Amino acid sequence: MLEQRNILETLLRFSAFFVLIGRGIQHLFFDVPIRILLWNESLLSPLFNLFGWSWRSYVTSPLTDFLINLFVILIGCFLCICSLFAIFNLRKGEKLLLLSGVYLVFLSAIYMSAKFFIPAQFIEYSTQMFSPFALLLYWRRGESERLILFIRIAVALTFIGHGAYALGIFPVPGNFIDMVINILGCDESFARNFLKVMGSLDFLAAILLFIPMLSHWALGFCAMWGVLTSLARVSEDSVFGVSHILSSMGHEFIMRGPHFILPVVLIYCAHKKSLQRVKAFHIN
C-alpha cells in the first residue's frame, strides 16, 4: 500500500506519464498537425526568399516529406522516453521532462492555429501540457500551495475550453456531436442541447473550483466528467469492432489521463488537509 506522502507524487507521475506516452504513440503511429507550421508559406516564404530557395520544390519534394515524417517519429520517441522518466521517478531527467512540457505547449499552439486560432482549443489542453510542469514543481518544492494553485488553474482552464465549445461560444466540433449521438443514441437536436447543459456545468465547475466551501462538488464533477469524456473517445460504435477502436483511438484516451487525474490530485490534497485540521483540533 502506498504511503500517504507518496500518493500525491504517484498521481502526478501517472498524469505526466499518460499524456507523454499518449502523445508519443500519436507521433509514432498517427498524425500530428506539424505540417501546418512547416508548410505555412506565408510564415516561411520570407526565409525562402532570403536564401533564394524554391517554395514549390520544397513542398513537392519527397525528401521534405521524408524528413518531416522522420522528425515526427523522433519527437514521438523523445516523448515516450520522457514518459519513462516520469513513471519511474527518474529525477535525473528533469531537463528532458521540462523540454517535453515546452513541446506540449508548442503542440497545443499548433492545434490552435489549425482551428483558426480559437483560444478554447489551446486552453482545453491545459491539464495535458502542464502535467510535466506539475511533476517538476513537486520534485523541486514538494507539496505546496503554489503547486495546488497551479493544478487548480490548469483544471479550470481545461473545463473552460471544453465548455466554450460545448456551449457554442465557438463552433461546436462535429466530433462532439457525433460522440453524443453514437453513445446516447439520440438525434442531433438533443445532442446539441445536451452539450449546452454540460458546457454550462463546465463553466460552473471552473468557478466553484476557487470557492473553498463548494470546490469539492466541482472537483467531483471534473473527475467524473473527465473520465467520461476521455472514455467517449473509445466508446463509439464501429463496424470494425472494439479492437479496432482501441488500436486506433486508445491513445486519445491515454493522453487525456490528466483530465481526470489532476482533479483527483486536488481531491486528495483537500481530503488530506481536512484530516490534518481534524487531528489538530483533537490535539488542542
Side-chain angles (χ1 to χ4, degrees), residues 115-116 118 121 164-174 176-177 192:
K115 297 292 184 179
F116 307 102
I118 294 176
Q121 188 68 35
Y165 275 129
L167 270 175
I169 295 175
F170 301 105
V172 182
F176 277 29
I177 298 172
R192 288 185 178 276

Side-chain angles (χ1 to χ4, degrees), residues 20 23-24 27-28 32 34 69-82 103 107:
L20 291 172
R23 288 296 184 189
H27 281 66
L28 289 174
V32 290
I34 196 73
N69 288 334
L70 179 62
F71 172 74
V72 171
I73 290 172
L74 291 175
I75 291 294
C77 292
F78 168 72
L79 293 176
C80 289
I81 291 171
C82 289
Y103 177 75
L107 183 63

